[in-house]
Amino acid sequence: MYKQTEDGFVQTAKLQASDGMTEDYYGAGVTIHENRAVVGAPYASNEGFVRDGAAYVYETVDGWTWTETAKLTAAEPFNNRHFAFQLTLSDKYLLVGATDRDLLLESFTAFGKGAAFVYDSTSWAPIATLEDADGEMGDEFGFGLAVRDDIAVVGAPRTGLVGAAFVYDTSTWSQVAKLVSSDPKPNTHFGRYAGVGGAKEAERAHRHRVAP
């Protein structure tokens, strides 16, 4: 962790999981908001299930000392879920992406259907699980995440080989829109990154092919 001072950025802490193991991929997902930070370890094992994933919550009072205050995992462990590969935190909510939920293969080259888990960012209690009802294996739903006020956006960059983003009303966590590119091209990965600015949603393609 680094803190900006008059002399530049100063390292204030080195965060590590209290129960971390080699190859947990700790730090793959990171998000910070005010005095709270969440770090993902998507390859962490839980109850004998490999690469199920975990998210570690840290809090600070003075901006210098960070204390681990919670560890979050999906309610039911599963192999290769990759929970906490992506994270985003706001005043009210924490969204945790599990991009390979429902992946049945013991392979790093395959991709799962995916899901996003919603938590209260004060109590860290689970609120909802978001999924694409029409999703298929390989969609990677939960890769792009953004949340602000009453809007949340979840990206699925491999949906239909093009990608899509799903918009949710945070008062009910019901889906209100599905966003797709107006100029879809294979492997553009629309929805890999997501952003929410006030009442406007923004999507950025990871790769955009321009026709010659």
Side-chain angles (χ1 to χ4, degrees), residues 116-136:
F117 297 82
V118 184
Y119 294 85
D120 182 288
S121 63
T122 301
S123 66
W124 309 111
I127 296 175
T129 300
L130 308 179
E131 298 178 280
D132 176 11
D134 299 321
E136 299 179 352

Side-chain angles (χ1 to χ4, degrees), residues 24-195:
D24 279 357
Y25 209 15
Y26 177 90
V30 177
T31 183
I32 185 169
H33 183 74
E34 296 180 346
N35 67 327
R36 295 158 295 165
V38 185
V39 180
Y43 289 176
S45 297
N46 297 310
E47 299 180 23
F49 291 85
V50 298
R51 297 187 293 276
D52 183 41
Y56 296 84
V57 179
Y58 301 85
E59 298 186 51
T60 183
V61 175
D62 56 10
W64 295 92
T65 302
W66 291 83
T67 303
E68 183 182 318
T69 57
K71 176 183 177 181
L72 308 177
T73 59
E76 297 180 2
F78 196 85
N79 287 330
N80 297 313
R81 189 197 310 267
H82 298 166
F83 177 94
F85 197 93
Q86 299 289 348
L87 303 159
T88 190
L89 181 63
S90 71
D91 287 334
K92 297 180 180 180
Y93 307 109
L94 167 69
L95 268 61
V96 180
T99 54
D100 291 321
R101 182 182 180 181
D102 298 329
L103 178 62
L104 302 179
L105 303 175
E106 295 289 336
S107 170
F108 287 105
T109 59
F111 302 98
K113 180 180 176 182
F117 297 82
V118 184
Y119 294 85
D120 182 288
S121 63
T122 301
S123 66
W124 309 111
I127 296 175
T129 300
L130 308 179
E131 298 178 280
D132 176 11
D134 299 321
E136 299 179 352
M137 294 296 292
D139 285 355
E140 285 199 307
F141 180 95
F143 202 109
L145 298 173
V147 61
R148 178 174 174 177
D149 301 328
D150 59 349
I151 291 290
V153 181
V154 180
R158 294 182 182 274
T159 295
L161 298 180
V162 175
F166 300 80
V167 183
Y168 294 87
D169 179 346
T170 62
S171 65
T172 59
W173 291 103
S174 58
Q175 182 182 322
V176 295
K178 178 180 179 179
L179 309 179
V180 295
S181 173
S182 60
D183 182 26
K185 293 180 175 64
N187 299 316
T188 51
H189 296 171
F190 183 93
R192 181 174 287 269
Y193 301 103

